[in-house]
Amino acid sequence: MNRLTADDVKLTDMMFGSDDDSVEGEADSHSADNKIPYAEVRENLSVGGGRGIFATTFVPAGSLILSELPIIQWNASTDFSSVVDIGNIITEIFSSPAILSSINLLYPRPTDIIPEQSYDDMKALFDEHDGNYLSDLRSMCNCSMREAIRVALVIRHNGFKNGLYTQQCMMNHSCLPNCIKLTPGSKYAPSEIWSTRDVALGEELTISYVYPLESTALYTRTYLKKSHCFECRCPSCEAGELSDSVLSEDEIIELENKVQKCENQYTIDISDKPSTESRCGSHYRDILGELLRIPLLRFNLRLDILCTLPVELTSETPANQDISRGDIFVRVRLLKCCVRVALAWVGASEAIHEDVSEDAAVLFLWASLMLYFSQVLHLGHCHPDVGSTVHDILEGLRGIRLKFPALLEAYFSTVEWQNICASPETGSFANLEASISAAMLRCEKQIAAMKQMYCTASTHPQALKLIGQTPGSIYWGSDT
């Protein structure tokens, strides 16, 4: 499987602008004006690769840590469990001395002792495909069997969805990472690592190797052991923060299967002319009905707490009462699914000129709101996913305000809502319209702040100079 991460996502132009425009000039592997970069590679003997990336200074949330071009690219559809796909990459690597030299820096290096189990498993993968495939590959690449298998392991352990990077591959996994990896906006653009919360001097910078990030602890452990040959010892796992669950192991497996089924069902593109059944609102209503029967989504609808954005969350927040820290991860994934299914329901209804159901609109706003509170609890206010959810809340408010004004009145014209919206500067709102407008304004301000925080085009022009440069070119971010 590819080393997909919850953070390996392409973000919308609305949130972060477009990366299509290139900037001419020679790229520098250091930060601008010779300032000290935010991070550097250091020894870390607690992990298999023996290295990691650590903060050299205080790093604020929303800082560009590293921008890098891959030393070798491949299609996003590349399957690391496919011998043919791995073999094609190995052949390309051995055809380029520069690439071969670069991957010698990655684990397992030529001097590393390859774990016997990893070596045997990779050899078995080749042999099961074709008993002669590995021998033919060795002849084509003019290398030993050990070297061919080592390179295959380098690809499998270090490869991202779109390619291989010499520095980003040094970043270790954490189940509660402090950084996110952004997918390049175009074929020739660099991949970027950004901090999603404040990072202290000397703290290790981490991403998640698991996709989606909000997977169950059981799935995460299984995936990391199978695909990356290690048991996670990140601070969260060592403290047992994410292992607790209100569900049994059998219930967790059943939940994973149910969520995957729902995720597969909502990825329908109306432009592809799907069946009449899949275009009907009832199709999506049924999917939502199945999701809402999952215990982790059984909590009260509370639209009246919207005006507390942003808010410091605790275990007493309505969205997270009576739930463990590990299960909040799973709840986020379920709520993401609800948001997308509800949105697809609205879109399908509009496409066939069917009246949009009030239930679809309510569920979209409800799921977005609950998702916000759950995300902030484990991701923090500055994570891009939180910004995307606030955008969904804003769109939900706009849609309901236009189509179902009476529905908003039922939730927004309460004494509680008026009290929440009141402030020393403005006092209580005189009418419903002012109350709703205040909520929408809060969302708009948060979206604008997030967009500015992660806007590479305006804050880090040096990083954009990597576009079109030599493969493997690097820019280390700094406090510019």
Side-chain angles (χ1 to χ4, degrees), residues 406-435:
L407 178 65
L408 280 183
E409 185 172 1
Y411 288 104
F412 284 71
S413 59
T414 63
V415 174
E416 291 80 9
W417 177 262
Q418 294 293 323
N419 289 339
I420 291 173
C421 289
S423 69
E425 294 78 16
T426 62
S428 298
F429 291 103
N431 53 54
L432 172 65
E433 184 65 24
S435 178

Side-chain angles (χ1 to χ4, degrees), residues 370-404:
M370 294 300 101
L371 177 59
Y372 171 85
F373 284 104
S374 295
Q375 283 178 322
V376 170
L377 186 64
H378 81 274
L379 296 177
H381 290 288
C382 298
H383 197 283
D385 284 1
V386 176
S388 296
T389 300
V390 173
H391 175 259
D392 286 340
I393 293 172
L394 178 61
E395 290 304 303
L397 282 172
R398 285 173 174 165
I400 294 177
R401 185 187 202 181
L402 179 64
K403 294 181 179 293
F404 308 109

Side-chain angles (χ1 to χ4, degrees), residues 64-78:
L64 175 64
I65 304 299
L66 173 63
S67 182
E68 182 179 8
L69 293 173
I71 56 174
I72 181 173
Q73 284 184 305
W74 47 68
N75 294 327
S77 59
T78 298

Side-chain angles (χ1 to χ4, degrees), residues 191-228:
S191 173
E192 298 171 353
I193 302 290
W194 289 77
S195 60
T196 56
R197 64 170 177 79
D198 292 347
V199 181
L201 167 66
E203 184 178 351
E204 184 171 13
L205 297 159
T206 56
I207 57 176
S208 174
Y209 293 180
V210 182
Y211 181 85
L213 172 64
E214 301 86 13
S215 297
T216 62
L218 176 63
Y219 174 84
T220 297
R221 288 194 301 268
T222 303
Y223 171 79
L224 292 175
K225 187 66 175 177
K226 179 179 178 181
S227 299
H228 298 284

Side-chain angles (χ1 to χ4, degrees), residues 18-25 186 188-189 461 464-469:
S18 173
D19 288 330
D20 292 336
D21 299 328
S22 62
V23 179
E24 296 181 357
S186 66
Y188 303 104
L464 289 180
K465 291 184 179 181
L466 291 180
I467 296 177
Q469 297 299 314

Side-chain angles (χ1 to χ4, degrees), residues 458-477:
S458 63
T459 58
H460 292 282
Q462 289 292 326
L464 289 180
K465 291 184 179 181
L466 291 180
I467 296 177
Q469 297 299 314
T470 305
S473 295
I474 302 166
Y475 170 78
W476 288 92

